[in-house]
Amino acid sequence: HFGFEDGLSEAEKTERVAGVFHSVAESYDKMNDLMSFGWHRIWKDHFVSSLNPGLSPHNPPTPQNILDVAGGTGDIAFRMLHHAHQVNANPDVSVTISDINTSMLAVGKQRSLSLPASQQAVLSFQPADATVLPESFKPNSFDLYTVAFGIRNFSNIPQALREAYRVLKPGGVFACLEFSKVGNPLLNAVYKRWSFSGIPLVGQLVTGDRDSYQYLVESIERFPTQEEFRDMIVDAGFVVGGDGYENLTGGVAAIHKGMKP
Ligand code: SAM
């Protein structure tokens, strides 16, 4: 066990997380399928269609500028480009994949080579720490900020939310897909058993790296509840609709959204 919260500075936490993802980058995509029984694909598809990237009432369609933070190997960014091009026939949607980890970005770049040329042309990669986004990400410059299965790893979540707020345009949307809390006690018991025993074991068998997967499970456990996280989003200045979140698979994952007024 990494003892993540045991007196580590933010810089040390960030460094540990970097270590975890450097060691899992190559096996990351395969492990996602194994750990979630393929569910992560369904959640990601749902997340992206709920955001409907590229939707525009105008002809020609309005350009959109999207930032996918902790974008890793590109799962969300690639889905958004596909959706914008195929569903909304809007080729004028640019997506920046940013991630603190260059190993994850390198795998993403390699994967992006199999995208259609029109999608590769509007995709860019930018190493960045979500809690201190680079100067090149100007205030009020993005229409949509996405973060999927990334925010629980950030050393300072309120600061990352403030950065999201800063770079979004007024009317721009913050959208997060993250593991969350399961309400049903029976489902929760099954889920806990799988995550605390199954996932580290599969990590050990497939990658020889039990500790990284143990860390991932513990970071899910420490992440706030749906309501607590929604309140953090509101505290950062965002406006939320309804409950401010949507549970997926009984709360195994949840989508949170907020709009910058
Ligand atoms: N969004 C991708 C997906 O859904 O497949 C990748 C998710 S992966 C579980 C989490 C990612 O968060 C890793 O690529 C990791 O490098 C990144 N990450 C962790 N801490 C970060 C930080 N402070 N700033 C930016 N990215 C970070």
Side-chain angles (χ1 to χ4, degrees):
H1 139 75
F2 275 79
F4 234 63
E5 301 294 89
D6 309 344
L8 289 183
S9 70
E10 276 179 23
E12 285 166 329
K13 282 186 208 167
T14 304
E15 205 172 298
R16 287 249 163 119
V17 172
V20 168
F21 284 102
H22 279 300
S23 64
V24 304
E26 292 297 331
S27 55
Y28 176 76
D29 296 311
K30 185 170 51 175
M31 278 301 293
N32 264 346
D33 280 330
L34 288 174
M35 290 187 303
S36 77
F37 302 101
W39 272 100
H40 76 108
R41 294 172 185 266
I42 296 167
W43 297 330
K44 286 170 177 170
D45 286 345
H46 177 74
F47 180 57
V48 168
S49 32
S50 82
L51 294 168
N52 208 352
L55 178 72
S56 168
H58 305 291
N59 194 5
T62 325
Q64 282 181 8
N65 197 16
I66 301 179
L67 177 61
D68 184 33
V69 171
T73 60
D75 269 10
I76 300 299
F78 300 166
R79 277 173 172 75
M80 291 196 291
L81 281 175
H82 178 86
H83 188 100
H85 284 232
Q86 301 299 321
V87 179
N88 288 323
N90 186 348
D92 224 354
V93 172
S94 57
V95 180
T96 303
I97 302 185
S98 83
D99 199 288
I100 199 167
N101 195 297
T102 49
S103 305
M104 294 290 280
L105 286 178
V107 175
K109 258 183 210 167
Q110 187 61 38
R111 287 177 79 200
S112 74
L113 299 178
S114 56
L115 296 176
S118 61
Q119 294 181 24
Q120 288 186 45
V122 288
L123 188 61
S124 57
F125 294 84
Q126 170 75 54
D129 180 347
T131 61
V132 214
L133 293 177
E135 290 283 307
S136 57
F137 295 175
K138 299 285 177 221
N140 309 314
S141 59
F142 291 98
D143 299 281
L144 175 62
Y145 172 117
T146 53
V147 57
F149 304 116
I151 205 162
R152 72 177 190 281
N153 301 299
F154 298 172
S155 58
N156 187 334
I157 295 173
Q159 193 179 321
L161 290 170
R162 286 194 294 273
E163 280 290 81
Y165 189 90
R166 180 178 70 81
V167 300
L168 278 167
K169 296 175 184 170
V173 170
F174 165 86
C176 174
L177 171 63
E178 187 53 271
F179 290 110
S180 204
K181 306 293 174 198
V182 176
N184 180 295
L186 190 63
L187 177 62
N188 193 38
V190 175
Y191 171 66
K192 282 280 151 64
R193 181 147 254 255
W194 168 245
S195 43
F196 280 94
S197 315
I199 290 179
L201 181 65
V202 174
Q204 166 77 52
L205 294 176
V206 177
T207 69
D209 178 3
R210 185 185 182 93
D211 286 352
S212 290
Y213 288 92
Q214 181 73 35
Y215 157 71
L216 291 177
V217 171
E218 289 176 13
S219 66
I220 295 172
E221 190 64 15
R222 273 194 304 271
F223 193 66
T225 64
Q226 285 84 332
E227 291 76 16
E228 286 164 349
F229 182 47
R230 185 255 335 267
D231 292 347
M232 292 167 82
I233 293 168
V234 170
D235 285 345
F238 292 101
V239 175
V240 302
D243 291 336
Y245 65 87
E246 177 192 356
N247 280 337
L248 307 178
T249 319
V252 173
I255 293 173
H256 282 77
K257 288 181 192 166
M259 194 195 75
K260 175 171 172 176

mmCIF file of all heavy atoms in Angstrom, residues 180-208:
data_model
loop_
_atom_site.group_PDB
_atom_site.id
_atom_site.type_symbol
_atom_site.label_atom_id
_atom_site.label_comp_id
_atom_site.label_asym_id
_atom_site.label_seq_id
_atom_site.Cartn_x
_atom_site.Cartn_y
_atom_site.Cartn_z
ATOM 1 N N SER A 180 -17.233 6.308 -8.598
ATOM 2 C CA SER A 180 -17.953 6.997 -7.545
ATOM 3 C C SER A 180 -18.430 6.002 -6.499
ATOM 4 O O SER A 180 -17.835 4.937 -6.356
ATOM 5 C CB SER A 180 -19.083 7.808 -8.176
ATOM 6 O OG SER A 180 -19.443 8.862 -7.345
ATOM 7 N N LYS A 181 -19.484 6.355 -5.776
ATOM 8 C CA LYS A 181 -19.938 5.507 -4.659
ATOM 9 C C LYS A 181 -21.198 4.745 -5.041
ATOM 10 O O LYS A 181 -22.151 5.331 -5.555
ATOM 11 C CB LYS A 181 -20.221 6.373 -3.430
ATOM 12 C CG LYS A 181 -19.064 7.274 -3.011
ATOM 13 C CD LYS A 181 -17.856 6.511 -2.495
ATOM 14 C CE LYS A 181 -16.701 7.475 -2.236
ATOM 15 N NZ LYS A 181 -15.395 6.830 -2.131
ATOM 16 N N VAL A 182 -21.184 3.446 -4.745
ATOM 17 C CA VAL A 182 -22.310 2.568 -5.067
ATOM 18 C C VAL A 182 -23.334 2.637 -3.933
ATOM 19 O O VAL A 182 -22.965 2.484 -2.763
ATOM 20 C CB VAL A 182 -21.808 1.118 -5.243
ATOM 21 C CG1 VAL A 182 -22.959 0.168 -5.479
ATOM 22 C CG2 VAL A 182 -20.794 1.053 -6.378
ATOM 23 N N GLY A 183 -24.595 2.903 -4.274
ATOM 24 C CA GLY A 183 -25.637 3.049 -3.254
ATOM 25 C C GLY A 183 -26.144 1.714 -2.730
ATOM 26 O O GLY A 183 -26.222 1.496 -1.529
ATOM 27 N N ASN A 184 -26.430 0.772 -3.632
ATOM 28 C CA ASN A 184 -27.021 -0.507 -3.238
ATOM 29 C C ASN A 184 -26.010 -1.363 -2.461
ATOM 30 O O ASN A 184 -24.928 -1.657 -2.960
ATOM 31 C CB ASN A 184 -27.473 -1.237 -4.506
ATOM 32 C CG ASN A 184 -28.091 -2.577 -4.214
ATOM 33 O OD1 ASN A 184 -27.422 -3.478 -3.731
ATOM 34 N ND2 ASN A 184 -29.374 -2.696 -4.509
ATOM 35 N N PRO A 185 -26.347 -1.769 -1.197
ATOM 36 C CA PRO A 185 -25.378 -2.487 -0.360
ATOM 37 C C PRO A 185 -24.899 -3.811 -0.966
ATOM 38 O O PRO A 185 -23.715 -4.150 -0.846
ATOM 39 C CB PRO A 185 -26.136 -2.749 0.941
ATOM 40 C CG PRO A 185 -27.337 -1.870 0.897
ATOM 41 C CD PRO A 185 -27.629 -1.551 -0.522
ATOM 42 N N LEU A 186 -25.805 -4.512 -1.647
ATOM 43 C CA LEU A 186 -25.408 -5.796 -2.222
ATOM 44 C C LEU A 186 -24.420 -5.590 -3.369
ATOM 45 O O LEU A 186 -23.353 -6.209 -3.418
ATOM 46 C CB LEU A 186 -26.672 -6.527 -2.704
ATOM 47 C CG LEU A 186 -26.466 -7.976 -3.116
ATOM 48 C CD1 LEU A 186 -25.995 -8.791 -1.903
ATOM 49 C CD2 LEU A 186 -27.770 -8.561 -3.661
ATOM 50 N N LEU A 187 -24.788 -4.675 -4.271
ATOM 51 C CA LEU A 187 -23.889 -4.367 -5.393
ATOM 52 C C LEU A 187 -22.562 -3.838 -4.850
ATOM 53 O O LEU A 187 -21.483 -4.183 -5.343
ATOM 54 C CB LEU A 187 -24.544 -3.342 -6.332
ATOM 55 C CG LEU A 187 -23.694 -2.878 -7.516
ATOM 56 C CD1 LEU A 187 -23.333 -4.030 -8.445
ATOM 57 C CD2 LEU A 187 -24.431 -1.788 -8.321
ATOM 58 N N ASN A 188 -22.645 -3.043 -3.785
ATOM 59 C CA ASN A 188 -21.431 -2.473 -3.217
ATOM 60 C C ASN A 188 -20.520 -3.566 -2.662
ATOM 61 O O ASN A 188 -19.296 -3.518 -2.837
ATOM 62 C CB ASN A 188 -21.799 -1.470 -2.106
ATOM 63 C CG ASN A 188 -20.602 -0.637 -1.704
ATOM 64 O OD1 ASN A 188 -19.786 -0.257 -2.559
ATOM 65 N ND2 ASN A 188 -20.463 -0.360 -0.425
ATOM 66 N N ALA A 189 -21.111 -4.578 -2.027
ATOM 67 C CA ALA A 189 -20.304 -5.663 -1.460
ATOM 68 C C ALA A 189 -19.559 -6.416 -2.570
ATOM 69 O O ALA A 189 -18.360 -6.701 -2.459
ATOM 70 C CB ALA A 189 -21.198 -6.602 -0.659
ATOM 71 N N VAL A 190 -20.284 -6.687 -3.660
ATOM 72 C CA VAL A 190 -19.663 -7.408 -4.784
ATOM 73 C C VAL A 190 -18.548 -6.556 -5.389
ATOM 74 O O VAL A 190 -17.437 -7.019 -5.648
ATOM 75 C CB VAL A 190 -20.734 -7.721 -5.862
ATOM 76 C CG1 VAL A 190 -20.092 -8.347 -7.093
ATOM 77 C CG2 VAL A 190 -21.814 -8.622 -5.300
ATOM 78 N N TYR A 191 -18.871 -5.273 -5.554
ATOM 79 C CA TYR A 191 -17.931 -4.354 -6.182
ATOM 80 C C TYR A 191 -16.659 -4.186 -5.339
ATOM 81 O O TYR A 191 -15.539 -4.220 -5.846
ATOM 82 C CB TYR A 191 -18.645 -3.009 -6.396
ATOM 83 C CG TYR A 191 -17.757 -1.884 -6.827
ATOM 84 C CD1 TYR A 191 -17.135 -1.905 -8.069
ATOM 85 C CD2 TYR A 191 -17.528 -0.793 -5.996
ATOM 86 C CE1 TYR A 191 -16.310 -0.866 -8.471
ATOM 87 C CE2 TYR A 191 -16.718 0.250 -6.384
ATOM 88 C CZ TYR A 191 -16.101 0.214 -7.620
ATOM 89 O OH TYR A 191 -15.290 1.232 -8.010
ATOM 90 N N LYS A 192 -16.827 -4.046 -4.018
ATOM 91 C CA LYS A 192 -15.679 -3.861 -3.116
ATOM 92 C C LYS A 192 -14.776 -5.093 -3.141
ATOM 93 O O LYS A 192 -13.553 -5.007 -3.151
ATOM 94 C CB LYS A 192 -16.163 -3.623 -1.674
ATOM 95 C CG LYS A 192 -16.665 -2.219 -1.436
ATOM 96 C CD LYS A 192 -15.510 -1.252 -1.227
ATOM 97 C CE LYS A 192 -15.821 0.164 -1.668
ATOM 98 N NZ LYS A 192 -16.888 0.779 -0.892
ATOM 99 N N ARG A 193 -15.428 -6.249 -3.168
ATOM 100 C CA ARG A 193 -14.670 -7.492 -3.163
ATOM 101 C C ARG A 193 -13.820 -7.575 -4.433
ATOM 102 O O ARG A 193 -12.631 -7.896 -4.389
ATOM 103 C CB ARG A 193 -15.665 -8.661 -3.112
ATOM 104 C CG ARG A 193 -15.069 -10.010 -3.069
ATOM 105 C CD ARG A 193 -15.969 -10.910 -2.251
ATOM 106 N NE ARG A 193 -15.356 -11.164 -0.963
ATOM 107 C CZ ARG A 193 -14.783 -12.327 -0.652
ATOM 108 N NH1 ARG A 193 -14.773 -13.309 -1.516
ATOM 109 N NH2 ARG A 193 -14.242 -12.509 0.534
ATOM 110 N N TRP A 194 -14.441 -7.229 -5.548
ATOM 111 C CA TRP A 194 -13.707 -7.278 -6.814
ATOM 112 C C TRP A 194 -12.578 -6.243 -6.802
ATOM 113 O O TRP A 194 -11.447 -6.554 -7.145
ATOM 114 C CB TRP A 194 -14.663 -7.025 -8.001
ATOM 115 C CG TRP A 194 -13.936 -6.767 -9.292
ATOM 116 C CD1 TRP A 194 -13.936 -5.616 -10.013
ATOM 117 C CD2 TRP A 194 -13.077 -7.676 -9.995
ATOM 118 N NE1 TRP A 194 -13.139 -5.741 -11.121
ATOM 119 C CE2 TRP A 194 -12.594 -6.999 -11.124
ATOM 120 C CE3 TRP A 194 -12.646 -8.993 -9.761
ATOM 121 C CZ2 TRP A 194 -11.722 -7.570 -12.048
ATOM 122 C CZ3 TRP A 194 -11.775 -9.579 -10.679
ATOM 123 C CH2 TRP A 194 -11.329 -8.869 -11.799
ATOM 124 N N SER A 195 -12.866 -5.018 -6.349
ATOM 125 C CA SER A 195 -11.823 -4.010 -6.491
ATOM 126 C C SER A 195 -10.671 -4.237 -5.522
ATOM 127 O O SER A 195 -9.522 -4.078 -5.890
ATOM 128 C CB SER A 195 -12.363 -2.581 -6.433
ATOM 129 O OG SER A 195 -13.298 -2.425 -5.434
ATOM 130 N N PHE A 196 -10.976 -4.685 -4.297
ATOM 131 C CA PHE A 196 -9.865 -4.831 -3.349
ATOM 132 C C PHE A 196 -9.096 -6.142 -3.494
ATOM 133 O O PHE A 196 -7.923 -6.202 -3.160
ATOM 134 C CB PHE A 196 -10.356 -4.627 -1.910
ATOM 135 C CG PHE A 196 -10.495 -3.177 -1.576
ATOM 136 C CD1 PHE A 196 -11.712 -2.519 -1.728
ATOM 137 C CD2 PHE A 196 -9.392 -2.438 -1.167
ATOM 138 C CE1 PHE A 196 -11.830 -1.165 -1.448
ATOM 139 C CE2 PHE A 196 -9.498 -1.082 -0.891
ATOM 140 C CZ PHE A 196 -10.719 -0.451 -1.029
ATOM 141 N N SER A 197 -9.762 -7.197 -4.008
ATOM 142 C CA SER A 197 -9.020 -8.460 -4.172
ATOM 143 C C SER A 197 -8.725 -8.735 -5.635
ATOM 144 O O SER A 197 -7.598 -9.076 -5.998
ATOM 145 C CB SER A 197 -9.819 -9.636 -3.611
ATOM 146 O OG SER A 197 -10.349 -9.315 -2.371
ATOM 147 N N GLY A 198 -9.748 -8.569 -6.482
ATOM 148 C CA GLY A 198 -9.605 -8.959 -7.889
ATOM 149 C C GLY A 198 -8.653 -8.066 -8.670
ATOM 150 O O GLY A 198 -7.739 -8.549 -9.344
ATOM 151 N N ILE A 199 -8.861 -6.756 -8.571
ATOM 152 C CA ILE A 199 -8.090 -5.853 -9.431
ATOM 153 C C ILE A 199 -6.577 -5.916 -9.153
ATOM 154 O O ILE A 199 -5.792 -6.081 -10.090
ATOM 155 C CB ILE A 199 -8.654 -4.406 -9.368
ATOM 156 C CG1 ILE A 199 -10.030 -4.386 -10.073
ATOM 157 C CG2 ILE A 199 -7.700 -3.401 -10.010
ATOM 158 C CD1 ILE A 199 -10.736 -3.055 -10.080
ATOM 159 N N PRO A 200 -6.141 -5.841 -7.872
ATOM 160 C CA PRO A 200 -4.693 -5.956 -7.658
ATOM 161 C C PRO A 200 -4.139 -7.298 -8.148
ATOM 162 O O PRO A 200 -3.020 -7.361 -8.674
ATOM 163 C CB PRO A 200 -4.542 -5.824 -6.137
ATOM 164 C CG PRO A 200 -5.768 -5.079 -5.703
ATOM 165 C CD PRO A 200 -6.853 -5.539 -6.625
ATOM 166 N N LEU A 201 -4.947 -8.356 -8.012
ATOM 167 C CA LEU A 201 -4.490 -9.671 -8.465
ATOM 168 C C LEU A 201 -4.330 -9.708 -9.983
ATOM 169 O O LEU A 201 -3.307 -10.163 -10.503
ATOM 170 C CB LEU A 201 -5.468 -10.749 -7.992
ATOM 171 C CG LEU A 201 -5.102 -12.184 -8.383
ATOM 172 C CD1 LEU A 201 -3.801 -12.602 -7.678
ATOM 173 C CD2 LEU A 201 -6.219 -13.160 -8.012
ATOM 174 N N VAL A 202 -5.344 -9.190 -10.697
ATOM 175 C CA VAL A 202 -5.251 -9.155 -12.160
ATOM 176 C C VAL A 202 -4.061 -8.278 -12.572
ATOM 177 O O VAL A 202 -3.296 -8.616 -13.478
ATOM 178 C CB VAL A 202 -6.572 -8.629 -12.793
ATOM 179 C CG1 VAL A 202 -6.417 -8.448 -14.291
ATOM 180 C CG2 VAL A 202 -7.711 -9.594 -12.514
ATOM 181 N N GLY A 203 -3.884 -7.161 -11.858
ATOM 182 C CA GLY A 203 -2.736 -6.275 -12.134
ATOM 183 C C GLY A 203 -1.427 -7.029 -11.984
ATOM 184 O O GLY A 203 -0.533 -6.952 -12.837
ATOM 185 N N GLN A 204 -1.344 -7.804 -10.905
ATOM 186 C CA GLN A 204 -0.144 -8.610 -10.646
ATOM 187 C C GLN A 204 0.088 -9.624 -11.765
ATOM 188 O O GLN A 204 1.189 -9.737 -12.304
ATOM 189 C CB GLN A 204 -0.327 -9.324 -9.301
ATOM 190 C CG GLN A 204 0.643 -10.438 -9.009
ATOM 191 C CD GLN A 204 1.984 -9.876 -8.582
ATOM 192 O OE1 GLN A 204 2.062 -9.059 -7.689
ATOM 193 N NE2 GLN A 204 3.052 -10.308 -9.253
ATOM 194 N N LEU A 205 -0.983 -10.334 -12.135
ATOM 195 C CA LEU A 205 -0.834 -11.421 -13.113
ATOM 196 C C LEU A 205 -0.522 -10.881 -14.505
ATOM 197 O O LEU A 205 0.307 -11.430 -15.216
ATOM 198 C CB LEU A 205 -2.121 -12.264 -13.157
ATOM 199 C CG LEU A 205 -2.433 -13.042 -11.871
ATOM 200 C CD1 LEU A 205 -3.774 -13.760 -11.990
ATOM 201 C CD2 LEU A 205 -1.321 -14.038 -11.544
ATOM 202 N N VAL A 206 -1.213 -9.781 -14.889
ATOM 203 C CA VAL A 206 -1.063 -9.305 -16.270
ATOM 204 C C VAL A 206 0.161 -8.417 -16.429
ATOM 205 O O VAL A 206 0.855 -8.478 -17.443
ATOM 206 C CB VAL A 206 -2.350 -8.551 -16.724
ATOM 207 C CG1 VAL A 206 -2.188 -7.983 -18.125
ATOM 208 C CG2 VAL A 206 -3.543 -9.486 -16.686
ATOM 209 N N THR A 207 0.426 -7.577 -15.416
ATOM 210 C CA THR A 207 1.501 -6.598 -15.598
ATOM 211 C C THR A 207 2.659 -6.813 -14.635
ATOM 212 O O THR A 207 3.691 -6.150 -14.756
ATOM 213 C CB THR A 207 0.964 -5.162 -15.369
ATOM 214 O OG1 THR A 207 0.660 -5.016 -13.975
ATOM 215 C CG2 THR A 207 -0.306 -4.896 -16.178
ATOM 216 N N GLY A 208 2.494 -7.697 -13.660
ATOM 217 C CA GLY A 208 3.551 -7.907 -12.663
ATOM 218 C C GLY A 208 3.663 -6.727 -11.694
ATOM 219 O O GLY A 208 4.617 -6.615 -10.940
#
